[in-house]
Amino acid sequence: MKKLIGDPQHVIRDALVGLDKSTPQVRVDHDNRVVLRAEPKPDGRVALVSGGGSGHEPLHGGFVGLGMLDAACAGEVFTSPTPDQMVAATTAVDRGAGVLHIVKNYTGDVMNFEMAAELAGSVRVETVVTDDDVAVQDSSFTAGRRGVGVTVLLEKIVGAAAEEGRDLDAVAELARRVADSGRSMGVALTSCTVPAVGKPTFDLPDDQMEVGIGIHGEPGRRRVPVAPASEIAEMIVEPILADLDMTTSPVIAMLNGMGATPLIELHLMYGEVASLLEKAGVTVARSLVGNYITSLDMAGCSLTLLRADDEMLRLWDAPVNTAGLRWGA
Amino acid sequence: MKKLIGDPQHVIRDALVGLDKSTPQVRVDHDNRVVLRAEPKPDGRVALVSGGGSGHEPLHGGFVGLGMLDAACAGEVFTSPTPDQMVAATTAVDRGAGVLHIVKNYTGDVMNFEMAAELAGSVRVETVVTDDDVAVQDSSFTAGRRGVGVTVLLEKIVGAAAEEGRDLDAVAELARRVADSGRSMGVALTSCTVPAVGKPTFDLPDDQMEVGIGIHGEPGRRRVPVAPASEIAEMIVEPILADLDMTTSPVIAMLNGMGATPLIELHLMYGEVASLLEKAGVTVARSLVGNYITSLDMAGCSLTLLRADDEMLRLWDAPVNTAGLRWGA
């Protein structure tokens, strides 16, 4: 295992120190492993809390700041944060208008966020669960579909709505609408290596790739020989379009790197994906190419398409100031 | 070789298609392989042109847009663009106030940009050459020091100055001042693989790393056993501080990923670097952590420190709207 780390048991602790020092938009509660906005939101605004296992950076800590999250709970690598962390985050950011929990659909996360909502006492909590991965039903970490890339787009769009002063019901309704309107599919060229384990999560021969990979290295749909980018694009575009009609409104398209894939390859893949979408009659209104929801040092990519109405596009364009996404601020 | 590509001979052509389609800030002249601003600068403003071998994305095409470059020439992987490309870029972006060429110190780039400046006819051209890598004097691609990370910071700061309407002499003077004030040092955990070659550029045993690596995989200072992040931080911080006193003014610090290193490791490394800088009496005024000047799929990182006066910090904070760096716009 070759990694820029110290003690493999303390990777999250040490990475949070660096995030804190390099990111003026946040401050880190190191005891609770909660990333908070450096400048809290004004009273009366709905707050957004997310979190999950670490190893998917910039998700979620890199999305804390103006226009996105108010707090993110960092679990151990690929391990849900505890309900205690979530309660600490929720009570710290509540401004009297309630808190939205944004939860990726993995059994541990869903259970712990449910418990945290109950334990949060007088804070009103609504929850949205993302489950956009079309690759598989049920999986090693999940009952039902896995929550992946749409979580990034949801945090941006719903974060902007909360910033505008909408109430908790309206924010939660929008969040569920975004979650329902997005679909994702990924592919891995290599495994990832969890630092505390020290060896690759799965074996993938030199000439094979895994289609439908999960963000923790969970198995996908099938293994196939490594193919040219144009064919890989088909393997991730077609299952998405087969699952949800993406021609009824413009889409936001995210071509996401899994952590070890260089930008030149992501650009190239985006070109292939865009060409297929054009042929299928899908209109891309906004696009995002880069590392947004990763799997440690996995090589590969995922595509997320979100059917976006005018309101979602307007909220997408609103100012955001986080380590991972920033514009207009 | 596992990469998200098609024909290894056409990676640059194909990646430019994707950059073009995903980046509203630019349009690509595919015949000349020049990335241009979608909205050209007004008449009377100095324009900035850079370029070099591809494989370092987002540098340089991802830094074209408001507040940074006006055009970037894309060479083949790790190969200088031709003088023809540079002339096409220079004449396309000149608004009557002259053009600054920003050149990383590699023999081919320097020679070709010199030729292009001569061939650009009536366009007045000034040139700045970056050579901030403290690792080695002379190298497989270079006479003198190699130009690396300071190029990113220079394009941002000088781009903001050009946007304000300064004349070519003032822009060039600032550019040289920035180039003189920055130093960098990198480390590789793995080699990179050039697509058209199909195998790693160099061999690096599983338990070794290369200290002082170049961005094309050129040899550094020495090979050492893989070390904890805190020791790696010493290996890159100390040579920089030994080369230039960084305590005389605040610095801009960039902890850059080489392409295949996940953000969680970059955050962790930044924490170690920041702690050493603090001990050495260096004040970090601004920081940047992520992939900005990469080496295809190399794992590793580099540190760039720039001694920044008040003017440079003000220009650093000015709005920028590119694929690779964006804020305030």
Side-chain angles (χ1 to χ4, degrees):
Chain A
M1 174 176 61
K2 278 183 166 181
K3 288 181 186 287
L4 300 169
I5 61 172
D7 182 339
Q9 304 299 329
H10 293 302
V11 167
I12 305 312
R13 177 196 70 186
D14 297 347
L16 286 174
V17 170
L19 176 72
D20 198 8
K21 289 194 184 185
S22 63
T23 313
Q25 293 93 333
V26 307
R27 67 179 179 85
V28 176
D29 169 353
H30 291 283
D31 291 333
N32 286 304
R33 298 201 180 167
V34 174
V35 182
L36 295 153
R37 289 196 193 187
E39 288 187 37
K41 209 171 234 177
D43 281 345
R45 297 275 161 82
V46 171
L48 270 56
V49 171
S50 191
S54 293
H56 308 302
E57 293 67 23
L59 188 87
H60 297 273
F63 296 138
V64 172
L66 177 82
M68 281 185 88
L69 299 178
D70 294 84
C73 310
E76 285 299 321
V77 171
F78 296 171
T79 303
S80 174
T82 63
D84 282 356
Q85 289 177 272
M86 297 163 183
V87 171
T90 303
T91 52
V93 301
D94 179 46
R95 293 288 165 272
V99 176
L100 179 72
H101 285 176
I102 300 170
V103 186
K104 302 192 299 304
N105 190 35
Y106 299 99
T107 307
D109 294 284
V110 171
M111 200 174 65
N112 289 352
F113 267 109
E114 259 176 32
M115 203 175 301
E118 283 169 26
L119 293 171
S122 61
V123 180
R124 205 184 139 206
V125 174
E126 287 282 337
T127 302
V128 60
V129 177
T130 60
D131 62 349
D132 51 308
D133 189 343
V134 302
V136 290
Q137 282 291 342
D138 305 333
S139 162
S140 35
F141 287 70
T142 332
R145 284 181 167 176
R146 301 176 296 219
V148 288
V150 84
T151 318
V152 177
L153 309 185
L154 188 155
E155 290 176 359
K156 168 66 189 83
I157 290 169
V158 178
E163 221 68 60
E164 288 183 350
R166 294 196 210 180
D167 68 21
L168 184 59
D169 288 336
V171 164
E173 188 275 328
L174 173 67
R176 288 177 195 126
R177 202 147 47 83
V178 173
D180 288 345
S181 308
R183 296 291 187 275
S184 299
M185 177 89 176
V187 60
L189 298 183
T190 71
S191 177
C192 50
T193 297
V194 175
V197 176
K199 58 186 177 60
T201 301
F202 59 96
D203 288 319
L204 193 55
D206 273 353
D207 59 347
Q208 300 270 305
M209 55 189 215
E210 177 87 24
V211 181
I213 189 76
I215 57 171
H216 312 93
E218 311 97 300
R221 287 188 172 188
R222 64 187 192 279
R223 286 198 177 173
V224 299
V226 173
S230 56
E231 291 174 30
I232 298 176
E234 285 173 15
M235 295 176 206
I236 59 177
V237 167
E238 281 176 6
I240 292 176
L241 299 188
D243 198 86
L244 189 66
D245 184 355
M246 291 285 172
T247 62
T248 58
S249 71
V251 303
I252 300 175
M254 177 172 77
L255 199 283
N256 169 65
M258 291 303 214
T261 294
L263 196 50
I264 189 170
E265 295 179 36
L266 297 180
H267 282 149
L268 194 150
M269 273 300 298
Y270 184 83
E272 299 293 349
V273 163
S275 151
L276 291 177
L277 293 178
E278 210 177 310
K279 274 181 212 151
V282 178
T283 305
V284 177
R286 303 288 185 279
S287 61
L288 203 56
V289 178
N291 296 313
Y292 297 102
I293 172 169
T294 60
S295 304
L296 295 169
D297 52 356
M298 184 187 284
C301 69
S302 65
L303 174 68
T304 299
L305 298 181
L306 172 68
R307 220 155 58 175
D309 57 27
D310 288 348
E311 182 194 29
M312 292 182 200
L313 289 177
R314 186 182 64 74
L315 294 166
W316 178 257
D317 292 338
V320 59
N321 186 358
T322 71
L325 270 191
R326 188 170 174 191
W327 54 71
Chain B
M1 173 177 62
K2 278 183 167 181
K3 287 181 186 288
L4 300 169
I5 60 172
D7 182 339
Q9 304 299 328
H10 294 303
V11 166
I12 306 312
R13 178 195 69 185
D14 297 347
L16 286 174
V17 170
L19 178 70
D20 198 7
K21 289 193 185 186
S22 63
T23 314
Q25 294 93 331
V26 308
R27 68 180 179 85
V28 176
D29 169 353
H30 291 283
D31 291 334
N32 287 304
R33 298 201 179 166
V34 174
V35 181
L36 296 153
R37 287 196 195 188
E39 288 187 36
K41 210 171 233 177
D43 281 345
R45 297 275 161 84
V46 170
L48 270 55
V49 171
S50 192
S54 294
H56 307 303
E57 292 69 21
L59 187 88
H60 295 274
F63 296 138
V64 172
L66 177 83
M68 281 186 88
L69 299 178
D70 295 85
C73 310
E76 285 299 322
V77 171
F78 296 171
T79 304
S80 175
T82 64
D84 282 356
Q85 289 177 272
M86 296 163 182
V87 171
T90 303
T91 53
V93 301
D94 179 45
R95 294 286 165 274
V99 175
L100 179 72
H101 284 176
I102 301 169
V103 186
K104 301 190 302 301
N105 190 36
Y106 299 98
T107 308
D109 294 283
V110 171
M111 201 175 64
N112 289 353
F113 266 108
E114 260 176 29
M115 204 176 301
E118 283 169 24
L119 293 170
S122 61
V123 180
R124 206 185 139 207
V125 174
E126 287 282 338
T127 302
V128 60
V129 177
T130 60
D131 61 348
D132 50 308
D133 189 343
V134 302
V136 290
Q137 283 290 340
D138 305 335
S139 164
S140 36
F141 289 69
T142 331
R145 281 181 171 177
R146 303 176 295 219
V148 287
V150 84
T151 318
V152 176
L153 310 185
L154 188 154
E155 291 177 359
K156 168 66 189 85
I157 290 168
V158 179
E163 221 68 57
E164 288 183 350
R166 293 195 210 180
D167 69 22
L168 185 58
D169 288 336
V171 165
E173 188 275 327
L174 173 67
R176 287 176 196 126
R177 202 147 47 82
V178 173
D180 288 346
S181 308
R183 296 292 186 275
S184 299
M185 177 88 175
V187 60
L189 298 184
T190 71
S191 177
C192 50
T193 297
V194 175
V197 176
K199 56 186 179 58
T201 301
F202 58 96
D203 289 319
L204 193 54
D206 273 354
D207 59 346
Q208 299 271 304
M209 57 188 215
E210 176 87 24
V211 181
I213 189 76
I215 57 171
H216 313 94
E218 310 97 299
R221 288 187 171 187
R222 64 186 190 280
R223 287 195 178 176
V224 300
V226 173
S230 56
E231 291 174 28
I232 298 176
E234 284 173 14
M235 295 177 204
I236 60 177
V237 167
E238 281 177 4
I240 291 175
L241 299 187
D243 198 86
L244 189 67
D245 185 354
M246 292 285 172
T247 62
T248 59
S249 71
V251 304
I252 300 175
M254 177 171 76
L255 199 282
N256 169 65
M258 291 303 214
T261 293
L263 195 51
I264 189 171
E265 295 179 36
L266 297 178
H267 282 149
L268 194 150
M269 273 298 298
Y270 184 83
E272 299 292 349
V273 164
S275 151
L276 291 176
L277 293 177
E278 209 177 311
K279 274 181 212 151
V282 178
T283 305
V284 178
R286 304 287 186 279
S287 60
L288 202 57
V289 177
N291 296 312
Y292 297 102
I293 172 170
T294 59
S295 303
L296 295 170
D297 52 356
M298 184 187 284
C301 69
S302 66
L303 174 68
T304 299
L305 297 181
L306 172 68
R307 219 156 58 176
D309 57 27
D310 288 347
E311 182 194 29
M312 291 183 202
L313 289 178
R314 187 183 60 75
L315 293 166
W316 177 258
D317 292 338
V320 60
N321 186 357
T322 71
L325 270 191
R326 188 170 175 190
W327 54 71

